[in-house]
Amino acid sequence: MRVMTLASVIGVGLLLLPIQTGASDGMKPAKPAAEMTMKKVAIVIDDFGNNMEGTKEMMDLPIPFTVAVMPFLPSSKQDAQLAHDKGHEVILHLPMEPVRGKKSWLGPGAITTDLSDEEVHKRIVAAIEDIPYVIGINNHMGSKVTADERIMKILVDICKERNLMLLDSRTTPKSVIGKLAGPQGVPFSENQLFFDDLYTYSHISKQMTRLKKLIHERDTVIAIGHVGPPGKKTAQVIKEAIPSIQKEATFVSISQTMKRSTN
């Protein structure tokens, strides 16, 4: 009887132990861990390709981000190569006509609404082929062109043919990129915030605060910054924010944010 009693006690203990351990150690961290793995932050830095200020500071950031390179400029190929060597995704930062502004601001090979279908196609293909390692396209300016269904259909068709994705920089709420890309099965996503539409450190810092708030509201947050006049300031703000963001989200490349809607 003493042996049976001891065996019974041990058996009961073994049955209880996993239940007690699971309740104390497994249940509490499960939800926060799951939430954290869901949250993603994708940062895209525009305007590479012209030896712009802040290029080194951006390239030295210790996180994955996406490098958007303008075509046909002095350091276009060099910047794309450096980004690739550092493990960053490269996309084409395609110049497109805005509603307001001068065409001369766009740089060579820009897409404008006065071009024929054939010329639009030719220019897009040439720009893609000018930048090595391109996996997608986003628009430089383009508030007029991204709202033009004729031109955006050509862009979407090229992306489908070449297995490229599209990031809508959202320079206008009238953009039709998502409307056209989704039914064609072209992967696409949309920018949600510009860090440096104003070039001051205080404004860029305020935009970073906005990004942190968006993390609480959304599973995926996409933000765009720039090399050039604000480059060093934007790089510094991003660098300073990395530790706090990593407590709540994971930095990812733009390909990990893409939607793949189909009819």
Side-chain angles (χ1 to χ4, degrees), residues 188-231:
F188 71 98
S189 56
E190 298 178 344
N191 175 47
Q192 295 153 11
L193 179 145
F194 285 103
F195 283 122
D196 44 20
D197 44 330
L198 299 177
Y199 295 166
T200 65
Y201 183 89
S202 62
H203 176 75
I204 298 166
S205 296
K206 286 177 184 176
Q207 293 299 90
M208 180 58 77
T209 300
R210 284 189 60 202
L211 181 144
K212 291 176 181 178
K213 289 179 181 177
L214 284 173
I215 292 172
H216 298 150
E217 300 169 7
R218 307 181 183 193
D219 291 336
T220 301
V221 180
I222 300 169
I224 291 178
H226 299 81
V227 291

Side-chain angles (χ1 to χ4, degrees), residues 71-88:
F72 314 118
L73 294 176
S75 67
S76 295
K77 290 180 172 61
Q78 172 188 314
D79 289 349
Q81 183 66 57
L82 179 59
H84 177 74
D85 291 346
K86 286 180 172 287
H88 299 307

Side-chain angles (χ1 to χ4, degrees), residues 95-111:
M96 297 183 188
E97 182 183 1
V99 172
R100 289 181 295 276
K102 299 177 181 178
K103 289 184 181 180
S104 60
W105 296 348
L106 291 171
I111 306 303

Side-chain angles (χ1 to χ4, degrees), residues 3-197:
V3 174
M4 290 295 293
T5 302
L6 183 59
S8 300
V9 171
I10 293 171
V12 170
L14 290 173
L15 287 171
L16 289 176
L17 186 58
I19 298 170
Q20 293 170 339
T21 302
S24 60
D25 295 337
M27 295 293 287
K28 291 180 181 178
K31 186 176 180 182
E35 287 178 354
M36 185 173 174
T37 55
M38 286 176 59
K39 302 286 185 176
K40 299 175 183 177
V41 173
I43 291 178
V44 178
I45 304 299
D46 286 351
D47 293 352
F48 285 94
N50 203 25
N51 293 308
M52 299 295 274
E53 189 172 358
T55 294
K56 182 182 185 303
E57 288 79 3
M58 289 296 187
M59 289 291 191
D60 287 344
L61 288 173
I63 55 169
F65 68 95
T66 299
V67 173
V69 184
M70 296 183 71
F72 314 118
L73 294 176
S75 67
S76 295
K77 290 180 172 61
Q78 172 188 314
D79 289 349
Q81 183 66 57
L82 179 59
H84 177 74
D85 291 346
K86 286 180 172 287
H88 299 307
E89 289 182 346
V90 176
I91 61 176
L92 166 64
H93 193 42
L94 185 62
M96 297 183 188
E97 182 183 1
V99 172
R100 289 181 295 276
K102 299 177 181 178
K103 289 184 181 180
S104 60
W105 296 348
L106 291 171
I111 306 303
T112 56
T113 53
D114 58 353
L115 299 175
S116 67
D117 289 3
E118 292 75 18
E119 185 64 20
V120 169
H121 190 282
K122 178 182 174 182
R123 289 192 181 196
I124 294 173
V125 170
I128 291 168
E129 294 180 348
D130 187 63
I131 308 295
Y133 308 112
V134 161
I135 63 167
I137 299 172
N138 78 331
N139 52 292
H140 171 65
M141 303 178 73
S143 54
K144 187 172 185 179
V145 170
T146 57
D148 188 304
E149 290 204 20
R150 175 182 71 90
I151 297 178
M152 288 301 96
K153 184 179 185 305
I154 296 169
L155 177 65
V156 167
D157 287 347
I158 291 171
C159 287
K160 183 167 186 175
E161 291 165 9
R162 291 176 172 253
N163 295 315
L164 299 174
M165 55 192 170
L166 274 170
L167 169 64
D168 186 350
S169 299
R170 293 297 290 178
T171 55
T172 174
K174 296 180 180 178
S175 172
V176 296
I177 289 176
K179 171 186 173 182
L180 298 177
Q184 288 297 318
V186 172
F188 71 98
S189 56
E190 298 178 344
N191 175 47
Q192 295 153 11
L193 179 145
F194 285 103
F195 283 122
D196 44 20
D197 44 330

